[in-house]
Amino acid sequence: MESFAAIYQRACERKGGEEALRLLLPQGLTNEALTHYSDAQLLSEMSKKIFQCGFVWRVVEYKWPAYEKAFFDFEPQKVLMLSPEQLQQRASDETLIRHLKKTMAIYDNALMVHDIAIKHGSFAQFIANWPGDDIVGLWNELKRLGCRLGGNTGPYFLRAIGKDTFLLTDDVKGYFQAHKLINYGFTSKAGLAQVQAAFNLWQQESGYSLAEISRVLACSVGDNRL
């Protein structure tokens, strides 16, 4: 297994030096800061990432104020009061994005957020308290308990709110395959466990966050645009 120091040095060489690379590293939040999110804020960001999946991100951003209005600022209790007919109306609203399944996912995930908040005090507390050395376990929980949060959608949501996580981009996956660090699929529990184990070792070696390691790894290989 390649040392993180070697990966970091190669990334520096590819991106124009250490200072240039540092400017590319993502900034996350502390667990304490994460707890200050409201359940509504997290449901909104989660829903946005679901709509952005496979769609033009800037179009979703442009339309998001209309979503905030249509879904009561994403207050989970208010969203859960919507009837199936009202959800279908919103799914066909021209000011929004006409996609029934993704619209229904807002309701399903409002229920998940509501249920988790009851058990953990808030959805933000649940996310903040999840240990980083098993971040793939949080991915799996979001996928299992929520709707349309599989693949990279859940991880992108976590990255967007500042929760420390790596991302399985094409460059990162390509690195793991080229260096034979994984012999299972990236969607399998065994494969994700192998990826997590590698990131844990790099983190112990370097002291960098999972997000920073992920970006450095991506910058060290492939044709990324960063």
Side-chain angles (χ1 to χ4, degrees):
M1 181 174 170
E2 191 177 23
S3 71
F4 184 75
I7 297 169
Y8 186 86
Q9 181 59 39
R10 186 168 61 251
C12 287
E13 293 171 356
R14 285 168 51 87
K15 297 304 174 184
E18 186 171 13
E19 184 176 350
L21 177 63
R22 285 185 178 277
L23 292 174
L24 298 175
L25 300 185
Q27 301 297 315
L29 296 179
T30 64
N31 288 336
E32 171 62 25
L34 285 170
T35 64
H36 293 291
Y37 279 115
S38 69
D39 290 342
Q41 287 174 311
L42 295 179
L43 179 60
S44 175
E45 189 60 44
M46 180 190 302
S47 301
K48 184 190 294 185
K49 286 293 170 282
I50 289 171
F51 274 92
Q52 287 176 331
C53 181
F55 202 72
V56 181
W57 283 40
R58 66 176 180 274
V59 173
V60 179
E61 288 283 358
Y62 175 77
K63 288 180 175 286
W64 211 247
Y67 271 93
E68 295 281 354
K69 182 178 180 180
F71 287 91
F72 313 111
D73 294 322
F74 287 92
E75 290 289 345
Q77 293 87 345
K78 293 181 179 180
V79 172
L80 292 174
M81 294 176 66
L82 290 170
S83 67
E85 291 77 17
Q86 289 173 316
L87 289 168
Q88 289 179 347
Q89 289 172 356
R90 284 160 172 76
S92 60
D93 189 334
E94 293 184 356
T95 66
L96 304 177
I97 296 170
R98 287 177 283 187
H99 196 298
L100 179 59
K101 290 184 178 180
K102 290 187 177 184
T103 301
M104 296 299 292
I106 296 175
Y107 181 93
D108 292 337
N109 287 326
L111 183 59
M112 174 188 69
V113 169
H114 176 265
D115 289 347
I116 288 177
I118 290 175
K119 294 179 181 178
H120 297 271
S122 72
F123 187 55
Q125 196 74 48
F126 168 75
I127 290 175
N129 289 339
W130 197 279
D133 61 0
D134 181 34
I135 199 65
V136 297
L138 181 54
W139 296 4
N140 287 329
E141 281 297 276
L142 291 175
K143 178 182 178 181
R144 182 178 71 86
L145 299 173
C147 180
R148 303 184 75 90
L149 292 172
N152 269 332
T153 305
Y156 271 110
F157 157 66
L158 295 174
R159 175 67 67 84
I161 65 172
K163 175 68 174 178
D164 189 25
T165 185
F166 54 83
L167 297 175
L168 289 179
T169 63
D170 289 341
D171 289 323
V172 171
K173 289 192 291 187
Y175 178 92
F176 271 81
Q177 291 169 328
H179 288 258
K180 296 181 172 57
L181 296 177
I182 186 170
N183 46 21
Y184 299 95
F186 286 102
T187 58
S188 69
K189 287 186 177 181
L192 289 176
Q194 289 180 316
V195 175
Q196 179 78 67
F199 270 90
N200 289 348
L201 287 174
W202 285 322
Q203 188 171 48
Q204 291 167 15
E205 174 194 342
S206 68
Y208 280 83
S209 69
L210 297 175
E212 289 172 328
I213 294 170
S214 181
R215 182 64 57 82
V216 170
L217 191 64
C219 288
S220 75
V221 296
D223 299 321
N224 53 82
R225 299 177 183 177
L226 294 172

